[in-house]
Amino acid sequence: MNRKIVQVAAGVITRPDGCFLIGQRAPGTFYPGYWEFPGGKVEAGETPAQALCRELDEELGIRVERLNPWLVREHDYEHAHVRLHFFEVPQWSGSLNDHVHSELAWVRPGAVDRTPMLPANGPILKALSLPRMMGVTQAGQIGVEQQLLAVDRALDNGLRLIQVRDRGLPDTLKRGYVAALIQRARSKGAIVVLNDEVELALELGADGVHLSAERLADCSARPALEWVGASCHDRHELERAAQLGLDYAVLGSIRETPTHPTGQPIGWEGFSAKAQGLPIPVFAIGGVSAEDMVTARAAGAHGLAAIRSAWPSA
């Protein structure tokens, strides 16, 4: 028998150093001792955003000054089937004064040292460890040596997610080039995904694969790699990526670009309409740069993917 879905709002409250806040559930509640993201039930007449603002005031004594829509995930607990609306809260005021948890802790993405976490939060923790900026390579246009130099500069500047998409590059050059790029990225702790080349990713030890929209449509199961994403152009493709349990999607084009000169840009409103309510992070691509990050995240994007603007010049 289908149970009523309980709507819940949860906040990823962050500090400037990148750490986020979690709380330990108190005795006498469901899952006592488990860690969770602060938030609570959406009451009648409230939007999830309004509910989160109220809950964070009541629970923690803080006032939300800015919040961004992020992910929506469902989980079937023993006591309820919940739909969790996750928001990022990058700007807030007040002093933390917890009223409901046994303990609060600031933790770093990819290094959460508090257990156990509520079962619904595993995919959320992985999503939070996904960098916010993706650089998409173009060695087929600028040459292997220039691309590797650009990768070195970008890694030194903090880039930690690279999609290798080098169409037109001869196979005689590709293997050695990709191996060299992976080695450089690994020395900086960066993630490398190869566009559509599952076998090469497995052979060379890449972190994952990025599926084209065509490959996504033909895919019957998630490839067996740590990180798997896909290029998407509409809601159907985004939902397909989520159905396969991919880690992220890339959606665009936000603006006109030389790469897709005849494509119809979707703009930020179009991006928000297509990406809202999904259970996986979505990057915005197409004529974007780091200067668009605040706008992108306000529209619900996890971050940005870029070709030309990702690679600083010498």
Side-chain angles (χ1 to χ4, degrees), residues 62-80:
I62 64 173
R63 181 178 296 277
V64 173
E65 296 183 354
R66 181 159 59 90
L67 82 169
N68 300 322
W70 190 41
L71 308 182
V72 178
R73 298 192 64 90
E74 293 191 15
H75 191 84
D76 198 8
Y77 288 104
E78 292 180 6
H79 67 285

Side-chain angles (χ1 to χ4, degrees), residues 139 142-153 177 184:
I142 66 175
V144 166
E145 289 190 11
Q146 285 301 314
Q147 182 64 76
L148 289 176
L149 287 172
V151 165
D152 287 337
R153 290 192 293 267
Y177 153 68
R184 285 164 159 80

Side-chain angles (χ1 to χ4, degrees), residues 174-176 178-179 182 186 194 199-206:
K174 180 175 287 186
R175 189 176 304 273
V178 173
I182 291 173
R186 185 151 294 143
L194 306 191
E199 293 77 14
L200 187 60
L202 290 167
E203 178 185 340
L204 297 181

Side-chain angles (χ1 to χ4, degrees), residues 54 60 282:
R54 173 184 54 76
L60 302 175
V282 182

Side-chain angles (χ1 to χ4, degrees), residues 48 50 54 72 123 150 156 162-163 166 174 193 201 220 241 264 275 298:
Q50 290 169 340
R54 173 184 54 76
V72 178
D156 287 342
I162 300 173
Q163 180 197 151
D166 294 306
K174 180 175 287 186
V193 295
S220 59
Q264 181 64 39

Side-chain angles (χ1 to χ4, degrees), residues 5-9 40-43 48 72 81-85:
I5 296 177
V6 178
Q7 306 290 338
V8 174
K41 183 179 176 182
V42 179
E43 302 293 350
V72 178
H81 184 99
V82 298
R83 178 176 291 137
L84 293 145
H85 302 260

